[in-house]
Amino acid sequence: NAAVTIEPGVRIEMRPGARIIVNDNGSLNATGTPTNKIEFFGAQDVPGYWYNIEFKSNNPNNKLIYCNISNGSKVYDSEPAMVVVNGNGQVTVQNSTFMNGSEHGIMTRGSGKLPNFTSNYFSGFQNAPISLVSFGHTSFLDNSTTFGSNAVQSIYIQGNAVEGNTQVPNMGIPYSVRGNATFNQGHTVIEAGVNIKMAANVFLRVNENASLEIAGNPSSPCSITGEINAKGYWYNLTFNSNNPANKISYTTISDGRNYYGGQAGLIHIGGSSSLSMNNTYLSNSPTTALDGAGSSTFIDGGGNAWSDCDGGGGFLP
């Protein structure tokens, strides 16, 4: 409940049931140096030996810089991470190592923020190393962060709505979408090389005030597939937006199905909506490859193809 500074070189040993909570009117500044890091570690080198560090405070002095954090777990099932950024909290995380946790390494909940997140390392987690409340939080990430060996080698996206402009960077491991993901506002760019794995029975939906660009290229294509390569494993990608920025390039999309019987298509373009697509391959679906409703518009940029879609190609020949 106050401003706390941990000096470089301090080592904090955590015992079973121990946790650190930074409340609304407090802050925690743990800033080490490259040669004198700060450590939070279990009294035994066991994943899940202690609980976690939770930031509820929106104070910009919340920092984990040049820290080694290991052996944490969870307190509640809704906060299964060694470091949790909750509510309207924020913490700057840089040049830090997260190791050997029984859950996620770090997660955001609510409007939690990770400003200036850079050059971190995650390894030895028994769940995905990073869990984010929505695709909107991927803009906090940077591709200087690296990953060792984790039981679930992906970044979880829990599915809350995107409410502003977003860049989804290529982090070198897939994003795993765990709940229905909607894009309500702003323009979202999924950068070249990004791979997205869809959990069972979830969808991606671009609503009327948003737009989505999947920006693969010949050397770094994108993909959206089921976590299991089974026909109809997830729902589909639906565009309900007439924004000309809706575009898919050099992307493989497979394993999805129509969300409702009247909204056929692995990709569905809602009435009066539009999509431009090039060099994209659609496959392995029990519905149509690319379907539209009403006065929807499809702009064929060439190089598109489909196979093994039970309803045929739809807009694709």
Side-chain angles (χ1 to χ4, degrees):
N1 297 310
V4 174
T5 298
I6 301 175
E7 295 183 348
V10 168
R11 303 179 72 241
I12 298 177
E13 180 184 276
M14 306 294 286
R15 297 298 179 94
R19 65 188 299 218
I20 296 171
I21 306 170
V22 185
N23 282 325
D24 292 346
N25 55 344
S27 63
L28 177 66
N29 182 350
T31 300
T33 70
T35 58
N36 212 13
K37 294 188 175 183
I38 295 168
E39 296 188 40
F40 301 85
F41 62 98
Q44 295 183 21
D45 187 12
V46 175
Y49 189 77
W50 54 286
Y51 285 150
N52 61 11
I53 303 172
E54 180 178 3
F55 290 88
K56 299 179 179 180
S57 158
N58 193 31
N59 194 312
N61 289 327
N62 292 327
K63 298 176 183 179
L64 297 172
I65 300 175
Y66 288 111
C67 291
N68 293 332
I69 308 172
S70 59
N71 312 129
S73 63
K74 67 178 181 180
V75 180
Y76 308 111
D77 287 342
S78 61
E79 300 177 4
M82 195 160 67
V83 173
V84 177
V85 191
N86 209 342
N88 195 36
Q90 68 165 301
V91 58
T92 296
V93 184
Q94 297 176 350
N95 300 104
S96 291
T97 297
F98 295 74
M99 296 281 293
N100 297 333
S102 63
E103 304 288 339
H104 304 297
I106 192 168
M107 73 179 298
T108 61
R109 298 184 73 243
S111 301
K113 299 177 286 295
L114 294 168
N116 303 310
F117 186 94
T118 184
S119 301
N120 301 298
Y121 177 76
F122 294 80
S123 188
F125 287 94
Q126 296 175 6
N127 210 326
I130 297 175
S131 175
L132 301 175
V133 74
S134 83
F135 269 117
H137 284 192
T138 62
S139 289
F140 295 127
L141 304 181
D142 78 308
N143 56 19
S144 66
T145 289
T146 56
F147 303 89
S149 177
N150 300 282
V152 180
Q153 197 74 333
S154 61
I155 296 169
Y156 275 8
I157 304 296
Q158 297 299 338
N160 289 25
V162 175
E163 302 292 353
N165 293 339
T166 299
Q167 293 284 129
V168 182
N170 181 4
M171 298 294 290
I173 61 175
Y175 294 93
S176 174
V177 179
R178 314 305 300 167
N180 295 330
T182 58
F183 302 85
N184 284 345
Q185 301 283 338
H187 181 55
T188 296
V189 178
I190 296 175
E191 296 181 355
V194 168
N195 296 312
I196 296 173
K197 299 287 188 180
M198 302 295 292
N201 303 323
V202 301
F203 59 69
L204 300 173
R205 179 180 296 159
V206 185
N207 285 332
E208 60 183 5
N209 293 322
S211 56
L212 175 66
E213 178 180 0
I214 306 176
N217 62 47
S219 59
S220 295
C222 296
S223 69
I224 304 175
T225 63
E227 288 195 325
I228 297 175
N229 295 129
K231 185 175 285 190
Y233 186 75
W234 57 288
Y235 286 133
N236 63 3
L237 168 58
T238 294
F239 288 87
N240 291 324
S241 158
N242 194 32
N243 195 310
N246 291 325
K247 183 177 181 181
I248 304 175
S249 302
Y250 289 95
T251 299
T252 295
I253 302 177
S254 64
D255 311 323
R257 70 186 191 276
N258 51 306
Y259 183 51
Y260 294 115
Q263 293 186 354
L266 177 54
I267 297 177
H268 180 80
I269 311 174
S272 76
S273 299
S274 66
L275 171 66
S276 171
M277 191 169 81
N278 69 84
N279 298 288
T280 292
Y281 178 61
L282 310 180
S283 69
N284 199 36
S285 175
T287 184
T288 311
L290 177 61
D291 191 80
S295 57
S296 59
T297 301
F298 172 61
I299 302 170
D300 189 345
N304 300 306
W306 66 275
S307 70
D308 197 20
C309 293
D310 296 353
F315 279 137
L316 297 180

